[in-house]
Amino acid sequence: MSAFLELRYLSWLTAASTHFNRTFTLVAANDVLLDSSVVKYSPSDCQRPEVLNKNLVEGNILLCGYSFNFVVGTASIKKVSETAKSLGAIGFVLAVENVSPGTKFDPVPVSIPGILITEVSKSMDLIEYYNTSTSRDWTGRVKSFKATDADLLKPDILAPGSLIWAAWSPNGTDEANYVGEGFAMISGTSMAAPHIAGIAALVKQKHPHWSPAAIKSALMTTSTTLDRAENPLRAQQYSGSETVTLVTATPFDYGSGHVTPRAALDPGLIFDAAYEDYIGFLCTTPGN
């Protein structure tokens, strides 16, 4: 799975892009140190290729950290580019984890594809994604840079689906009260699904080059687990006496949360997925 960021969070680094239809694995500099390396400098700065394992970096995207060293001039983006290129990386990502006084982000010519994530919150989102999708052993050493032990969570998302005034076939016989009517008050996933489809169409209209997976990501990552009164969402629960009560909902009720159309149009960080990602996901899902 690959992560993409809207350009307003990035500083331009002038180089050719990676291949549009390919995805690459993200590897953090701190996780590819040579065992024999004696680190006198911050390895996450990606200033010293000799302390990083080329076998683990080659063909991947190198994740580096933008530290205070870049502000004072002891580290440079150009050197990050040179380090990544010398190790055979496809490109690099430079994530700003803290903004220090005097920090400025100017366009920089680089020799391989690279981006600088200038907004701290977006950098942390990417780092969190990397950490949760990277498999480690009990010592903290990386076992695999690809996501493992996948599992399924359904539903994906929650949308309005209770007592929706919707089009109805006059010939329908499901509900005696609506026979011959053109509209009916209906509940269920058949009402929630059109809401999601319509919002997805609006997202596609604004971002015509986004894939279905990217649109799904935008919907899910911008959803909310609070209602309009800012209280936690609640779900119906049937008791032993078949009476319905409301209880605090869980992800098994709402998935990622209730869809938020306006936020979905401008999600910031999105996670895209291609054919190979789905195959990898299915192959690591228990029972497949």
Side-chain angles (χ1 to χ4, degrees):
M1 185 171 289
S2 52
F4 293 89
L5 288 165
E6 290 284 50
L7 291 179
R8 71 178 186 280
Y9 299 125
L10 309 180
S11 180
W12 288 103
L13 303 178
T14 53
S17 64
T18 55
H19 193 283
F20 181 74
N21 290 321
R22 290 189 61 189
T23 58
F24 303 94
T25 300
L26 196 65
V27 297
N30 286 335
D31 287 328
V32 294
L33 286 173
L34 290 170
D35 291 337
S36 59
S37 296
V38 178
V39 181
K40 297 180 181 179
Y41 305 92
S42 173
S44 66
D45 286 351
C46 297
Q47 301 294 294
R48 302 175 65 83
E50 65 272 16
V51 304
L52 303 179
N53 190 329
K54 183 175 182 178
N55 292 331
L56 296 178
V57 176
E58 191 169 16
N60 297 317
I61 295 177
L62 184 62
L63 175 60
C64 308
Y66 190 98
S67 68
F68 186 67
N69 292 335
F70 288 84
V71 179
V72 299
T74 56
S76 70
I77 297 175
K78 184 177 181 180
K79 183 61 178 178
V80 173
S81 171
E82 293 172 351
T83 295
K85 185 176 182 179
S86 69
L87 295 172
I90 294 297
F92 67 90
V93 176
L94 192 53
V96 178
E97 299 180 55
N98 293 286
V99 177
S100 305
T103 301
K104 61 179 182 178
F105 306 110
D106 297 322
V108 177
V110 292
S111 54
I112 64 172
I115 59 173
L116 170 64
I117 306 176
T118 59
E119 186 164 317
V120 173
S121 64
K122 302 306 174 184
S123 292
M124 300 312 296
D125 286 341
L126 180 62
I127 292 170
E128 181 181 2
Y129 161 72
Y130 170 81
N131 287 332
T132 56
S133 62
T134 301
S135 177
R136 302 177 186 273
D137 61 21
W138 66 273
T139 66
R141 184 186 296 271
V142 172
K143 294 193 296 183
S144 172
F145 288 103
K146 296 184 181 293
T148 57
D149 300 326
D151 205 349
L152 296 172
L153 173 64
K154 294 294 178 180
D156 292 319
I157 198 166
L158 179 68
S162 178
L163 299 177
I164 304 299
W165 189 245
W168 181 265
S169 171
N171 298 322
T173 57
D174 296 31
E175 294 287 343
N177 292 331
Y178 297 128
V179 173
E181 300 292 337
F183 290 87
M185 193 76 75
I186 317 169
S187 299
T189 54
S190 294
M191 295 297 98
H195 282 86
I196 293 296
I199 298 167
L202 292 174
V203 175
K204 182 69 173 179
Q205 184 180 45
K206 183 175 181 182
H207 305 282
H209 300 298
W210 281 9
S211 69
I215 294 172
K216 177 181 178 181
S217 169
L219 296 178
M220 294 180 66
T221 58
T222 57
S223 61
T224 179
T225 58
L226 302 177
D227 61 21
R228 286 182 294 181
E230 297 297 313
N231 295 316
L233 293 173
R234 295 195 292 174
Q236 293 180 337
Q237 185 177 79
Y238 288 89
S239 65
S241 60
E242 296 188 356
T243 58
V244 179
T245 58
L246 291 177
V247 298
T248 301
T250 73
F252 292 101
D253 298 307
Y254 52 64
S256 62
H258 194 286
V259 66
T260 309
R262 186 183 298 275
L265 292 172
D266 192 20
L269 179 68
I270 59 171
F271 299 99
D272 203 355
Y275 173 81
E276 293 81 4
D277 299 303
Y278 288 111
I279 293 298
F281 172 77
L282 292 173
C283 289
T284 56
T285 301
N288 288 334

